Amino acid sequence: MRLVVPLQGVVQGRGGLIFGSLIPCALFYFLQLYLKRHRSPNSRSNPPSPSASAQNLAELTRTSSRSNLLSRGSIVPVLISSLATSISKPNDSPYYIGLDKASEDPYDRIDNPDGVIQLGLSENRLCFDLIEKWMLENLKDSMRGREEGDLSISGIASYQPLDGTMELKMAMAGFMSRVMGGAVSFEPSQMVLTAGATPAIETLCFCLADHGNAFLVPTPYYPGFDRDMKWRTGVELIPVHCRNTDNFVLSISALNQAFNQTRKRGTKIRGILLSNPANPVGNLLSREMLCDLLYFAREKNIHIISDEIFAGSIYGNEEFVSIADVVDSEDFDKSRVHIVYGLSKDLSLPGFRVGMIYSFNENVLAAARKLTRFSSISAPTQRLLVSMLSDARFIEEYMVTNKKRIRNMHDLFVAGLEGLGIRCADSSAGLYCWADMSKLILTYGEKGELELWEKLLHVAKINITPGSACHCIEPGWFRCCFTTLDKEDIPVVMERIRKLADTRAASRG
Amino acid sequence: MAIEIEKPGVGLSKVAVSETHGEDSPYFAGWKAYDENPYNESSNPSGVIQMGLAENQVSFDLLEKYLEEHSEASSWGKGAPGFRENALFQDYHGLKSFRQAMANFMEQIRGGRARFDPDRIVLTAGATAANELLTFILADPGDALLVPTPYYPGFDRDLRWRTGVKIVPIHCDSSNNFQVTPEAMEAAYRCAESMNLKVRGILITNPSNPLGATIQRTVLEQILDFATNKNIHLVSDEIYSGSTFSSSEFISIAEVLETRGYKDSERVHIVYSLSKDLGLPGFRVGTIYSYNDKVVTTARRMSSFTLISSQTQHLLACMLSNKEFSENYIKTNRERLTRRYDMIINGLKNAGIECLKGNAGLFCWMNLSPLLEEPTRESELALWKVILNEVRLNISPGSSCHCSEPGWFRVCFANMSEQTLEVALERIHKFMEQRRRRN
């Protein structure tokens, strides 16, 4: 029977392990036992503790088989796992609810001008014309294997190395190096390719942490981490709060405090998860900060995962520094550093599922390689991308144009918000901005923020992501993705926000 | 309790250092020997012939012909109008057109004797991922799945590694052609109970790997009744369903459910893939078909970790919804596999070797027990090493498939040309001659 640790607020900082967790656990367990015993055996409602009632059901089944219920069929539904039960519950995060609502009623300037405008999905649609043009000119040749002559299928039909072909790894190495300004070169043999960055990060968690261990994660962070890193690995995410006064940049003292508090309650920290460029704020980690983080990791003997998936979406003037660059140039212990990357953001190809783990640790690479059998990249896609990424002229044109267009959209969007008195955090990267809408909240706090989010979604009909979904400690901040818009849509967005703001100002009197 | 590695440095997880990936077993050791000295008709005619990989290479020409004649499948049409949407499509529901095409294909394979609803199809990057995903959903860590032996060696890793679930074998033997019996299932269930393991399901492979034979209808009914009786799940891995030598001999669990009016079907889940039937393992295309709504919902959400490239979904949607192509492919593929099977069975017979009577798959189940010094696993492995190093054939020993009877070997015949198969058969013939002369 799984030992559930509820009431973490009680546990943290009060009473230590015995009083803080074991006694509430025991009470919780006995409560469930009591409830189970007093429930009707035919009840189909979701029991609070699947494993407890599962035992009850097992007894029930044995009696049923004795009285031969086969003719009537089972009266008890066959159970799924505890993990599946928790996942099957309707998703209550505003991040996902908003995405669903926007896809049910999508805005279209001509066909559906009253639809929900999607600003909650960090997708880049600004440079598809370039990719389409490349496809038209190159696709036929790209799908033919170079070695096999005219036979285009046998090379890609057969089993490929599960962690990606060497050709693609080499092409990715070149691309990543270009994306990160050419400051660092990447070694193909240190890459493990995966079907998207989502399995990359999950695979890393499986390699670096046991069930019940934890990672420190600066807030606000990408809501998807709660799913990707925790669901199947059983790992815990410990938020390390960052504040507006620091422009949401991480501080080592906050990290240290979170580390000590977590350790005190008996949970082992295995690493820090960084997003650089940050999502949802869009700022960059400085070289100094990266060094400090590496010192910290060494001191505590933990790993660092650096999710650099937005490295090619820099629009500001600040220079992006990859942790690979820092680790190369200074004398740091590389075996604790791992990078996650992918083509969903920088090359606008989320559907193709291309991600990677880049690590300096041979043991991690060996384990990760074996795990990629569960999430390998499809062979035709690998072949297509080898062609595209090796086209240096195209990549150069794409990167330059992409940067320009993201910057234009960013400037227009942020200016639009400023016109409404809404200020954004300083940022220089990503496909979104981090907007302070606290002035529009009726009651300052998480509840107020969610009320505003709800009105924005259902009344103003724009989907943006509230800070609470990103675990932001300060209420009122929202992530707005602007790279799924056309320029003409920006005034529409601003008008809708203005209308809502005016209604609220009026109702306040 | 975390495991730290001895040398100073940062530690890895238990999953990372565990041996459950199984890559140290003979099944994989043979592959290494092949990799180091691979047979090639012209450049290395005395190299190791790979007969341990269940890959279908007999029908590539059909696929190539289709792609040549239908460039819209690999290019999103003239002017690439669908490209943008496709490149952005990362919805875990999967392309509707692709799911529809898969459902139709699965129906065609079963001769229209079962219907498949595209909305019950969950897509995964390969059947490997599908089996693991289902295990995460049907069982908690520490629980058990019952699996009839002999079984595909990869299950040890796919069902157990990250999930923490255990496999309790259902022992089958040659006395009844390795078929599952109610007694064997009961025995396995009791064995699990005695180890304090909660059994959550039974997983069968139909047609069977490594036996190369379909499961009879009566046996399927018994297995379904057993699962119903114990109130556990039934997973039917039907990855070789399109590789049966005659269309009428394969009975899918879907057909059994259909006959029963789908009563009590929420415990049944089917795994399928295009890696074997269509010979496209590199494409990474697998599916879970579940009759249980909650399992469909959960599997779909969890498939985020193992999505199929939208480019591939588009390509295959085009290909599989082309009725002319799919009908011709299924029929021709079957004929060619039958031909290969007959070739290898006759060749082995001439060499004095018997095989289990098979009717499906990309391999045959060969009986070399008369050659064993002693009826033990060690003798079997010794013989396997001789075959690998002297005869230079990589075949899979039954012990790596957890077969309780020593002396059986799985031999693949579809991953090579006919000429190569001839060479392999000659080598076996010679080997058996030498053995006879020695005796």
Side-chain angles (χ1 to χ4, degrees), chain B residues 298-311:
Chain B
T298 325
R300 214 181 257 146
R301 290 185 183 170
M302 223 187 265
S303 69
S304 312
F305 298 107
T306 182
L307 297 176
I308 304 177
S309 167
S310 50
Q311 171 198 13

Side-chain angles (χ1 to χ4, degrees), chain A residues 453-496:
Chain A
W453 165 73
E454 224 241 322
K455 290 292 184 304
L456 283 165
L457 182 62
H458 292 110
V459 177
K461 301 189 93 178
I462 60 172
N463 176 39
I464 56 179
T465 307
S468 49
C470 308
H471 303 269
C472 186
I473 193 97
E474 294 178 15
W477 293 86
F478 286 77
R479 185 189 78 167
C480 311
C481 301
F482 49 72
T483 49
T484 48
L485 294 175
D486 289 327
K487 285 201 197 98
E488 295 79 15
D489 302 322
I490 297 185
V492 180
V493 173
M494 300 308 155
E495 186 48 41
R496 291 187 185 188

Side-chain angles (χ1 to χ4, degrees), chain A residues 213-504:
Chain A
N213 291 161
F215 283 88
L216 298 171
V217 192
T219 69
Y221 64 75
Y222 161 56
F225 285 154
D226 287 326
R227 171 198 66 184
D228 301 344
M229 292 182 68
K230 291 173 30 171
W231 262 7
R232 309 192 297 187
T233 62
V235 149
E236 215 187 304
L237 297 185
I238 309 290
V240 180
H241 293 297
C242 306
R243 295 167 191 282
N244 178 31
T245 40
D246 303 320
N247 198 44
F248 295 100
V249 174
L250 183 57
S251 82
I252 298 290
S253 58
L255 205 60
N256 215 356
Q257 189 179 40
F259 183 90
N260 292 331
Q261 274 180 344
T262 309
R263 201 171 48 171
K264 231 187 263 171
R265 63 172 163 93
T267 297
K268 192 171 166 63
I269 302 259
R270 298 311 287 268
I272 308 168
L273 171 67
L274 306 170
S275 296
N276 180 30
N279 176 11
V281 180
N283 48 17
L284 302 177
L285 288 172
S286 67
R287 188 178 289 271
E288 293 70 42
M289 174 54 78
L290 287 169
C291 287
D292 288 343
L293 287 164
L294 285 162
Y295 286 129
F296 181 84
R298 186 171 66 192
E299 184 197 318
K300 309 293 187 196
N301 194 24
I302 58 179
H303 295 274
I304 295 186
I305 301 177
S306 181
D307 182 353
E308 302 189 348
I309 201 174
F310 289 101
S313 305
I314 315 281
Y315 50 78
N317 295 320
E318 222 183 307
E319 184 212 2
F320 170 73
V321 180
S322 165
I323 198 165
D325 188 352
V326 178
V327 142
D328 258 355
S329 52
E330 324 264 340
D331 182 29
F332 285 107
D333 173 16
K334 293 182 177 181
S335 68
R336 58 183 82 255
V337 176
H338 322 280
I339 298 173
V340 168
Y341 188 63
L343 298 183
S344 301
K345 314 293 179 186
D346 292 348
L347 211 55
S348 314
L349 301 171
F352 287 11
R353 314 313 302 146
V354 182
M356 82 152 75
I357 296 169
Y358 189 85
S359 177
F360 296 89
N361 186 319
E362 214 18 78
N363 292 323
V364 171
L365 287 173
R369 257 176 223 129
K370 297 191 183 90
L371 285 170
T372 52
R373 65 189 341 100
F374 302 111
S375 46
S376 300
I377 305 180
S378 190
T381 302
Q382 293 198 53
R383 178 177 279 179
L384 173 65
L385 285 170
V386 167
S387 269
M388 195 191 286
L389 295 174
S390 313
D391 187 339
R393 198 202 52 81
F394 164 74
I395 294 296
E396 191 57 39
E397 184 197 352
Y398 181 89
M399 306 252 50
V400 165
T401 313
N402 191 35
K403 178 178 177 135
K404 225 192 317 189
R405 291 182 185 178
I406 299 181
R407 180 186 223 144
N408 284 345
M409 286 300 282
H410 168 266
D411 292 347
L412 282 170
F413 196 87
V414 169
L417 287 178
E418 264 164 20
L420 299 172
I422 297 171
R423 193 204 128 240
C424 290
D426 280 335
S427 60
S428 42
L431 310 175
Y432 37 76
C433 60
W434 187 235
D436 181 2
M437 300 198 169
S438 51
K439 289 201 210 108
L440 295 177
I441 297 184
L442 297 177
T443 48
Y444 188 74
E446 185 177 325
K447 251 186 162 167
E449 175 188 286
L450 287 174
E451 191 268 339
L452 175 60
W453 165 73
E454 224 241 322
K455 290 292 184 304
L456 283 165
L457 182 62
H458 292 110
V459 177
K461 301 189 93 178
I462 60 172
N463 176 39
I464 56 179
T465 307
S468 49
C470 308
H471 303 269
C472 186
I473 193 97
E474 294 178 15
W477 293 86
F478 286 77
R479 185 189 78 167
C480 311
C481 301
F482 49 72
T483 49
T484 48
L485 294 175
D486 289 327
K487 285 201 197 98
E488 295 79 15
D489 302 322
I490 297 185
V492 180
V493 173
M494 300 308 155
E495 186 48 41
R496 291 187 185 188
I497 301 180
R498 177 196 304 284
K499 247 210 226 113
L500 184 69
D502 289 344
T503 330
R504 288 161 94 83

